[in-house]
């Protein structure tokens, strides 16, 4: 039985009345106090208040127990129990727009609570990051890379805890619908590569989209900050750090590497005006994605696989139409109509702006029916060559890759300085099924109309010549027969 349950109601009321009287007298004395008596009367007033509260609590308990005849038992479920699951703070996954390729279950980011971490060395300038503003990558402190690691990694220390953090050793930067997923699929078969925690185990789209709050048709999504990008490589960093071998004259050399393969990084630089250093710059003097990557990893390697821009454009159109909010029948005729509209939009833009101002304009990218801006390979490649030396790039053609997969995979392995694989293993990797083939809906659209191909070939002719001259390789004029 609770204390006070045996007290009569009359007794309780008397106690309450007496306590109230004491409280009222205490307040009156406090108001009329002289400074010499103030301290003593404060103590008495506090004691009176505590006594009044105690009596009120006991009275309430007594009334509750006498009314039911039972001792109070609290609810077995705390208040708000049904909402508890929704109150946890979890690590938000990478923003995946509806038009992105699906995330395989094994690659989805874990929904676990993220503990506060000490900022990494490259984040020293980010102490007062505005969550609504892109990170100032160019002002970050360059990491002190570990000399016995092939991959760009550094050690981060937080009190007694130390761990290794890593950025990509290489980037497969493009181009969309040119075989990047198939190439990555075969690259990931090599034991020297550890895939990041990203879409399809390769795509973060951070440098081109996520850090600006962009997607294909979006320019106001949540901005992802650098530490979120860096966390995509935390799992690879653990494996890289735990694997050593004697190599390069070093007994504990860390041979494994990680990379990423976001095909939009090569061409989508529409966030250039959100880079802080470009506030007072023009398009021709602006710092772009290559400058930002070079600032943190100046020795990064790059893989690019180009495809005949006319064929690439049709494949890209069919792929993206499946994810548009307002779907329309996929036909060769609808492609022809949208190509004509897109060419007109680009021309109208160029009537008032320079070519680069149009190609680097997010509004145009979001509204143009066919992604013709991607076709200007040479324009984008020149921006990369301004920052990184030519030897940091391995540039392939999709048409050649499709004819000789094994030869090209081996070429890529050599470029990345991966360990040699037995011929049997190379044959297995080369003979794997293609990562993507045209589905039934794409096949139902039929082949591109002849008049559309002629229109696009004429449009791309000078663009292809520019690329061939830049690379000093006539294969990139795409004058060879079309591959079916």
């Amino acid at each position: 039985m609770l204390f006070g349950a045996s007290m009569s109601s009359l007794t309780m009321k008397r106690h309450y009345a007496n306590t109230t009287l004491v409280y009222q007298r205490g307040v009156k004395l406090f108001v009329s106090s002289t400074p010499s008596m103030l301290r003593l009367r404060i103590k008495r007033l506090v004691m009176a208040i505590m006594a009044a509260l105690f009596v009120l609590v006991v009275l309430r308990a007594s009334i509750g127990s006498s009314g039911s005849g039972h001792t109070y038992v609290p609810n077995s479920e705390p208040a708000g129990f049904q909402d508890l699951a929704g109150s946890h703070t979890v690590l938000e996954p990478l923003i995946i727009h509806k038009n992105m390729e699906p995330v395989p279950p094994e690659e989805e980011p874990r929904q676990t609570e993220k503990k506060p971490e000490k900022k990494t060395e490259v984040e020293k300038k980010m102490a007062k990051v505005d969550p609504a503003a892109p990170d100032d990558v160019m002002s970050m402190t360059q990491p002190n890379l570990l000399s016995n690691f092939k991959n760009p990694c550094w050690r981060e220390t937080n009190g007694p805890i130390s761990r290794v953090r890593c950025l990509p050793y290489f980037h497969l930067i493009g181009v969309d619908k040119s075989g990047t997923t198939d190439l990555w699929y075969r690259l990931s078969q090599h034991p020297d590569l550890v895939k990041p925690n990203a879409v399809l185990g390769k795509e973060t789209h951070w440098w081109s989209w996520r850090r600006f709050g962009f997607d294909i048709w979006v320019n106001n999504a949540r901005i992802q900050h650098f530490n979120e990008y860096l966390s995509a490589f935390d799992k690879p960093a653990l494996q890289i750090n735990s694997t050593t071998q004697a190599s390069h004259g070093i007994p504990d050399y860390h041979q494994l590497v990680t990379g990423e393969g976001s095909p939009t990084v090569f061409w989508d630089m529409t966030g250039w005006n959100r880079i802080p250093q470009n506030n007072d710059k023009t398009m021709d003097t602006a710092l772009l994605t290559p400058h930002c990557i070079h600032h943190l990893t100046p020795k990064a390697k790059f893989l690019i696989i180009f495809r005949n821009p006319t064929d690439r454009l049709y494949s890209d159109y069919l792929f993206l139409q499946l994810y548009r909010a307002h779907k329309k029948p996929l036909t060769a005729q609808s492609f022809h109509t949208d190509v004509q509209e897109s060419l007109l939009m680009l021309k109208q833009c160029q009537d008032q702006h320079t070519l680069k101002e149009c190609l680097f304009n997010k509004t145009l990218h979001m509204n143009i029916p066919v992604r013709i801006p991607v076709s200007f390979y040479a324009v984008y490649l020149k921006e990369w060559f301004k920052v990184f030396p030519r030897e940091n790039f391995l540039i392939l053609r999709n048409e050649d890759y499709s004819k000789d997969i094994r030869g090209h995979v081996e070429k890529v392995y050599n470029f990345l300085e991966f360990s040699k694989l037995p011929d049997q293993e190379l044959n297995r990797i080369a003979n794997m099924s293609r990562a993507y083939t045209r589905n039934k809906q794409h096949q139902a659209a039929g082949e591109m109309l002849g008049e559309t191909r002629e229109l696009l070939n004429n449009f791309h002719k000078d663009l292809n010549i520019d690329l061939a001259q830049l690379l000093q390789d006539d294969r990139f004029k795409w004058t060879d027969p079309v591959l079916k």
Side-chain angles (χ1 to χ4, degrees):
M1 184 176 293
L2 294 173
F3 173 73
S6 61
M7 297 175 65
S8 67
S9 177
L10 181 62
T11 302
M12 293 299 299
K13 292 178 179 178
R14 186 180 298 113
H15 276 283
Y16 178 74
N18 290 339
T19 303
T20 303
L21 180 62
V22 172
Y23 173 75
Q24 292 174 342
R25 288 176 178 175
V27 171
K28 185 176 181 181
L29 287 172
F30 178 81
V31 172
S32 61
S33 296
T34 62
S36 60
M37 300 179 64
L38 185 60
R39 182 178 300 175
L40 177 62
R41 286 176 177 173
I42 289 175
K43 291 182 179 179
R44 290 179 178 177
L45 180 60
V46 172
M47 293 178 64
I49 293 172
M50 292 178 65
L53 292 174
F54 177 78
V55 173
L56 286 172
V57 171
V58 174
L59 176 62
R60 184 174 180 180
S62 175
I63 293 174
S65 61
S66 61
S68 63
H70 300 284
T71 302
Y72 170 72
V73 178
N75 192 324
S76 58
E77 291 185 355
F81 177 80
Q82 293 181 347
D83 296 330
L84 188 61
S87 66
H88 293 300
T89 301
V90 298
L91 176 62
E92 185 174 349
L94 295 173
I95 300 175
I96 312 280
H97 192 259
K98 61 184 179 181
N99 61 331
M100 294 299 298
E101 295 169 330
V103 185
E106 67 274 15
E107 300 298 345
E108 291 182 353
R110 294 183 179 181
Q111 300 289 310
T112 55
E113 186 173 354
K114 188 176 181 180
K115 299 180 180 179
E117 299 176 352
K118 182 180 178 181
K119 295 187 185 300
T120 65
E121 187 174 356
V122 295
E123 296 176 286
K124 290 180 179 179
K125 298 280 186 176
M126 297 173 57
K128 297 181 180 179
V129 168
D130 179 357
D135 293 341
D136 188 353
V137 174
M138 296 299 295
S139 293
M140 294 181 186
T141 304
Q142 294 182 356
N144 185 19
L145 302 181
L146 299 170
S147 60
N148 59 333
F149 281 66
K150 178 180 178 180
N151 197 90
C153 299
W154 64 96
R155 189 165 299 280
E156 175 188 278
T157 302
N158 182 10
I161 301 175
S162 177
R163 64 171 174 168
V164 168
R165 308 298 297 274
C166 298
L167 283 169
Y169 169 73
F170 74 96
H171 299 256
L172 174 56
I173 58 175
V175 178
D176 308 67
K177 310 313 296 178
S178 298
T180 58
T181 299
D182 188 81
L183 177 57
W184 181 272
Y185 178 47
R186 298 175 201 280
L187 286 181
S188 65
Q189 301 298 309
H190 198 290
D192 284 1
L193 175 60
V194 188
K195 296 186 294 184
N197 183 19
V199 178
L200 296 175
K202 74 184 183 83
E203 299 178 13
T204 68
H205 297 279
W206 191 81
W207 293 102
S208 52
W209 288 346
R210 308 295 180 228
R211 63 177 175 144
F212 303 119
F214 286 176
D215 208 310
I216 297 179
W217 302 297
V218 177
N219 63 357
N220 59 355
R222 184 187 70 83
I223 285 175
Q224 289 192 3
H225 292 289
F226 180 76
N227 203 49
E228 294 177 85
Y229 173 66
L230 191 60
S231 67
F233 306 99
D234 281 345
K235 185 176 179 180
L238 289 173
Q239 190 169 342
I240 291 170
N241 187 44
S242 63
T243 306
T244 62
Q245 66 181 55
S247 181
H248 294 72
I250 303 173
D252 59 343
Y253 187 72
H254 297 259
Q255 177 71 20
L256 302 188
V257 301
T258 189
E260 73 150 306
S262 302
T264 57
V265 171
F266 170 71
W267 58 269
D268 196 331
M269 303 186 193
T270 55
W272 72 273
N273 56 357
R274 300 194 180 193
I275 296 175
Q277 286 74 17
N278 292 337
N279 290 339
D280 58 349
K281 293 183 182 295
T282 65
M283 175 63 65
D284 291 330
T285 60
L287 299 178
L288 303 173
T289 301
H291 298 90
C292 296
I293 295 178
H294 183 272
H295 178 70
L296 296 180
T297 52
K299 296 183 179 180
K301 292 176 177 284
F302 300 93
L303 301 172
I304 304 175
I305 181 166
F306 288 129
R307 181 182 181 184
N308 183 321
T310 296
D311 296 320
R312 193 215 67 81
L313 210 56
Y314 191 38
S315 178
D316 188 59
Y317 176 81
L318 295 176
F319 174 73
L320 293 182
Q321 280 297 108
L322 296 175
Y323 302 94
R324 291 187 184 273
H326 303 289
K327 293 182 172 61
K328 56 185 178 182
L330 288 171
T331 66
Q333 182 59 53
S334 68
F335 177 63
H336 181 78
T337 302
D338 285 344
V339 164
Q340 289 177 315
E341 181 181 348
S342 300
L343 290 174
L344 178 60
M345 288 178 64
L346 182 60
K347 181 182 181 302
Q348 291 173 340
C349 180
Q350 287 186 262
D351 287 342
Q352 302 180 42
H353 305 280
T354 66
L355 174 62
K356 284 179 64 174
E357 286 172 343
C358 294
L359 297 182
F360 294 3
N361 183 281
K362 183 61 177 176
T363 302
L364 179 66
H365 281 230
M366 291 172 61
N367 290 282
I368 198 164
V370 180
R371 293 201 294 186
I372 285 180
V374 183
S375 297
F376 289 77
Y377 298 157
V379 173
Y380 306 117
L381 190 57
K382 287 175 183 177
E383 298 299 332
W384 289 92
F385 283 178
K386 289 178 184 178
V387 180
F388 287 92
R390 176 65 178 86
E391 57 267 22
N392 285 38
F393 295 82
L394 178 61
I395 299 174
L396 310 173
R397 282 203 329 161
N398 168 273
E399 294 80 6
D400 302 327
Y401 171 81
S402 299
K403 292 179 180 178
D404 181 16
I405 292 179
R406 172 177 165 153
H408 282 74
V409 168
E410 195 169 6
K411 182 184 294 185
V412 173
Y413 287 168
N414 291 336
F415 173 72
L416 297 176
E417 300 180 87
F418 283 177
S419 56
K420 298 292 184 181
L421 295 181
D423 285 344
Q424 183 178 1
E425 179 64 7
L426 285 172
N427 288 333
R428 181 192 70 81
I429 294 172
N431 292 328
M432 295 170 62
S433 300
R434 295 299 295 259
Y436 281 103
T437 56
R438 292 182 65 181
N439 60 33
K440 293 182 179 179
Q441 193 169 4
H442 288 178
Q443 293 173 4
E447 297 298 326
M448 187 189 315
L449 297 179
E451 58 181 323
T452 313
R453 181 173 294 280
E454 182 179 2
L455 175 64
L456 286 174
N457 283 346
N458 290 334
F459 174 78
H460 289 134
K461 183 177 180 180
D462 289 340
L463 305 184
N464 296 342
I465 291 175
D466 288 343
L467 180 64
Q469 291 177 345
L470 179 62
L471 296 176
Q472 299 183 355
D473 190 340
D474 284 344
R475 292 180 304 141
F476 291 95
K477 291 180 180 179
W478 280 285
T479 55
D480 45 341
V482 177
L483 292 178
K484 300 295 184 183

